[in-house]
């Protein structure tokens, strides 16, 4: 695994949170994107070498809606940049981690992504992400 690529924060109201985090970082998000298959609308802030992703549910069945209902707003996942997501998934499975999707899927911000179940990582949802060739 390379660096922390971004930290995902679950929010109830993306518009209000965009405003809040723009004040916090002193700049607006550089992109906003809906990933319908994941039931989320996201926005991304560039903060030094890492990014912050805000996530709002697009429907009540969204994993983000369920997360907020259970735990409230807050840090949802930590994403790590990987060079070869397929190799990394195979390695982590071998090490005994529970990979939620063994085939990487399209995520926001031009990435291939896979998630590790928080039960196998001390309660932290881990995202692996690899930049897709443009
Ligand atoms: Zn993410």
């Amino acid at each position: 695994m390379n660096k922390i690529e971004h930290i995902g924060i679950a929010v109830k109201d993306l518009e209000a949170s965009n405003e809040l985090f723009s004040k916090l970082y002193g700049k607006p998000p550089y992109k906003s994107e809906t990933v319908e298959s994941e039931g989320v609308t996201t926005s991304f802030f560039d903060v030094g070498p890492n990014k912050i992703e805000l996530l709002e549910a697009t429907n009540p069945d969204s994993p983000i809606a369920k997360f907020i209902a259970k735990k409230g707003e807050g840090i949802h996942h930590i994403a790590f940049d990987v060079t070869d997501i397929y190799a990394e998934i195979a390695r982590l499975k071998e090490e005994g981690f529970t990979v939620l999707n063994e085939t990487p899927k399209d995520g926001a911000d031009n990435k291939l992504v896979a998630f590790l179940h928080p039960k196998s990582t001390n309660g932290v949802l881990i995202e692996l992400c690899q930049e897709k060739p443009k």
Side-chain angles (χ1 to χ4, degrees):
M1 280 189 210
N2 307 323
K3 62 171 187 173
I4 290 179
E5 213 280 334
H6 64 267
I7 293 173
I9 299 175
V11 303
K12 284 182 186 163
D13 180 342
L14 191 62
E15 203 181 307
S17 298
N18 277 339
E19 223 167 277
L20 178 74
F21 281 80
S22 294
K23 274 185 215 163
L24 181 67
Y25 302 134
K27 56 185 158 188
Y30 69 88
K31 84 180 321 184
S32 186
E33 190 181 345
T34 297
V35 184
E36 213 48 77
S37 57
E38 297 295 302
V40 295
T41 300
T42 65
S43 62
F44 283 89
F45 291 82
D46 240 321
V47 189
N50 311 109
K51 297 168 188 163
I52 299 293
E53 174 185 32
L54 303 181
L55 304 119
E56 178 193 58
T58 57
N59 66 71
D61 294 325
S62 159
I64 295 302
K66 288 177 184 157
F67 176 88
I68 289 176
K70 211 166 145 189
K71 297 188 170 174
E73 294 180 294
I75 293 181
H76 177 258
H77 65 271
I78 301 178
F80 292 90
D81 178 64
V82 299
T83 309
D84 180 345
I85 196 165
Y86 295 92
E88 205 60 10
I89 288 170
R91 183 182 74 81
L92 293 167
K93 267 183 68 183
E94 188 72 28
E95 293 285 7
F97 293 96
T98 306
V99 181
L100 286 170
N101 56 301
E102 295 187 13
T103 305
K105 52 189 179 181
D106 287 333
D109 206 23
N110 195 47
K111 299 279 197 292
L112 274 177
V113 302
F115 289 91
L116 303 184
H117 197 289
K119 275 184 187 149
S120 67
T121 49
N122 285 162
V124 181
L125 178 62
I126 303 283
E127 175 184 346
L128 309 175
C129 59
Q130 179 183 352
E131 183 92 14
K132 283 196 282 189
K134 289 188 182 163

